[in-house]
């Protein structure tokens, strides 16, 4: 009889724990969005990792008020907390899909770690009281507000892609110096496009030779100004890249992943044609990107994946055009 009476009470605390964790996460995001300490806090370890860790601690601690939560709940509850908080952030237009997808893995690790900490504390002789909980909850706010005052390390990433094309170097060259408008049927939908990254549209060229300017256009007003730095017909085309940030609509990309912004930029690109013995061409496309975050190792995994996805899509268009010329 006692167990039967306890079950509804435990479920109540589980729901309260979930709600508490989600509320904490949303409060943190709302404060960053509307006032303190500013939107840059979202790109901090305090927000992305420590905040979810506290979400996990709060959720599991509340769920363990009556009896210690089972071990599986140390993991399930934090996962649900992060998922619901990020879903709410999208629905409230606090975050775009790109940022949520990028942030979810690191937030999940932090939340699960917090869940384990909360679960172990609930089974130990030392119970986390309200005063200790309040102190723990404030720590991410303090760290996140301090992080923007420090200069983030800069890391240069290199992404290299290649594709084999059954065509002559001359045909390949003609299809890379300029890229006429790409129809939607020429591109298959990629995961990067599904989460919100614009698809490529075309690349124009002002004139042939070093100093020529290419305008690489993407959907939703995203444009790269590419100045030719190496011009070796049928062999090598290199260019510096500058995002046209003055004309990119604010709705094109989330501010935290804006190209040419505080955290990320594409610096240059290069096409290299490698003739093969059978007459084919191995076309290489290499680019360099700047990352300036407090977690460049993690951010680099995502930037590399997005750039690799983008470069592969462009190379596939070039391959198809060359082989059907």
């Amino acid at each position: 009889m006692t167990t039967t009476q306890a079950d509804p009470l435990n479920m109540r605390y589980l729901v309260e724990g979930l709600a508490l964790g989600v509320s904490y996460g949303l409060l943190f995001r709302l404060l960053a969005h509307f006032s303190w300490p500013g939107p840059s806090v979202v790109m901090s370890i305090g927000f992305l990792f420590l905040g979810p860790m506290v979400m996990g601690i709060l959720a599991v601690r509340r769920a363990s008020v009556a009896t210690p939560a089972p071990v599986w709940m140390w993991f399930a509850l934090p996962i649900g907390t992060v998922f619901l908080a990020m879903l709410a952030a999208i629905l409230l237009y606090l975050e775009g899909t790109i940022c949520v997808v990028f942030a979810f893995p690191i937030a999940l690790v932090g939340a699960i770690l917090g869940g384990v900490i909360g679960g172990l504390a609930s089974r130990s002789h030392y119970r986390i009281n309200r005063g200790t909980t309040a102190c723990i909850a404030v720590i991410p706010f303090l760290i996140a507000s301090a992080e923007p005052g420090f200069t983030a390390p800069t890391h240069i990433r290199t992404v290299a892609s290649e594709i084999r094309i059954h065509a002559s170097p001359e045909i390949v060259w003609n299809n890379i110096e300029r890229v006429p408008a790409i129809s939607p049927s020429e591109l298959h939908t990629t995961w990067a496009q599904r989460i919100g990254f614009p698809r490529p549209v075309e690349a124009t060229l002002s004139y042939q030779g070093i100093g020529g300017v290419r305008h690489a256009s993407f959907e939703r007003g995203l444009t790269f100004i590419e100045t030719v730095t190496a011009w070796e017909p049928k062999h090598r085309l290199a260019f510096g890249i500058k995002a046209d940030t003055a004309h990119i609509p604010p709705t094109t990309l989330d501010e935290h992943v804006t190209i040419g912004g505080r955290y990320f930029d594409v610096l240059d690109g290069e096409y290299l044609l490698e003739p093969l013995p059978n007459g084919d061409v191995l076309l290489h496309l290499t680019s360099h990107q700047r990352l300036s975050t407090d977690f460049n190792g993690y951010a680099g995994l995502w930037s590399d994946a997005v750039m690799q996805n983008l470069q592969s899509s462009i190379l596939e268009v070039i391959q198809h055009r060359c082989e059907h010329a």
Side-chain angles (χ1 to χ4, degrees), residues 255-284:
E255 60 180 318
H256 310 115
V257 293
T258 296
I259 300 171
R262 175 176 178 179
Y263 307 107
F264 176 71
D265 197 9
V266 182
L267 304 178
D268 56 49
E270 178 186 76
Y271 285 104
L272 183 65
L273 285 68
E274 179 185 350
L276 300 177
N278 67 345
D280 290 353
V281 171
L282 188 61
L283 179 60
H284 303 266

Side-chain angles (χ1 to χ4, degrees), residues 2-51:
T2 302
T3 302
T4 303
Q5 292 177 338
D7 286 340
L9 185 62
N10 289 340
M11 182 57 66
R12 168 195 162 191
Y13 287 129
L14 287 176
V15 173
E16 288 182 356
L18 188 65
L20 183 60
V22 171
S23 298
Y24 176 87
L26 284 179
L27 175 63
F28 206 158
R29 186 62 187 89
L30 286 167
L31 286 174
H33 183 77
F34 291 111
S35 56
W36 176 94
S40 61
V41 76
V42 177
M43 292 292 287
S44 68
I45 294 296
F47 180 85
L48 289 174
F49 186 78
L50 297 181

Side-chain angles (χ1 to χ4, degrees), residues 22 58 74 138 158 224:
V22 171
L58 294 177
W74 301 359
V138 170
T158 301
F224 296 106

Side-chain angles (χ1 to χ4, degrees), residues 206-258:
S206 61
Y207 63 87
Q208 298 176 328
I210 294 177
V213 177
R214 288 163 48 102
H215 284 82
S217 303
F218 289 71
E219 286 181 326
R220 306 201 301 277
L222 177 61
T223 301
F224 296 106
I225 301 172
E226 304 175 344
T227 303
V228 176
T229 56
W231 182 272
E232 302 174 31
K234 296 185 287 186
H235 176 58
R236 178 172 175 253
L237 172 62
F239 40 86
I241 299 176
K242 181 176 177 57
D244 187 10
T245 54
H247 298 95
I248 299 176
T251 55
T252 299
L253 290 169
D254 289 358
E255 60 180 318
H256 310 115
V257 293
T258 296

Side-chain angles (χ1 to χ4, degrees), residues 112-137:
I112 291 175
L113 179 58
V116 171
I117 292 172
L120 291 174
S122 69
R123 297 193 176 197
S124 69
H125 294 295
Y126 176 75
R127 302 299 295 271
I128 303 178
N129 57 36
R130 291 185 178 181
T132 302
T133 301
C135 291
I136 292 174

Side-chain angles (χ1 to χ4, degrees), residues 30-138:
L30 286 167
L31 286 174
H33 183 77
F34 291 111
S35 56
W36 176 94
S40 61
V41 76
V42 177
M43 292 292 287
S44 68
I45 294 296
F47 180 85
L48 289 174
F49 186 78
L50 297 181
M53 182 185 296
V54 171
M55 290 166 64
I57 292 174
L58 294 177
V60 174
R61 176 188 179 278
R62 187 61 185 173
S64 303
V65 168
T67 57
V71 173
W72 66 269
M73 192 58 67
W74 301 359
F75 300 87
L77 201 55
I79 291 173
T81 299
V82 169
F83 176 81
L84 290 177
M86 291 195 168
L87 178 61
I90 292 176
L91 295 176
L92 294 172
Y93 298 101
L94 296 173
E95 291 291 353
T97 305
I98 293 179
C99 282
V100 167
V101 170
F102 288 4
F104 188 76
I106 190 172
L108 200 60
V109 172
I112 291 175
L113 179 58
V116 171
I117 292 172
L120 291 174
S122 69
R123 297 193 176 197
S124 69
H125 294 295
Y126 176 75
R127 302 299 295 271
I128 303 178
N129 57 36
R130 291 185 178 181
T132 302
T133 301
C135 291
I136 292 174
V138 170

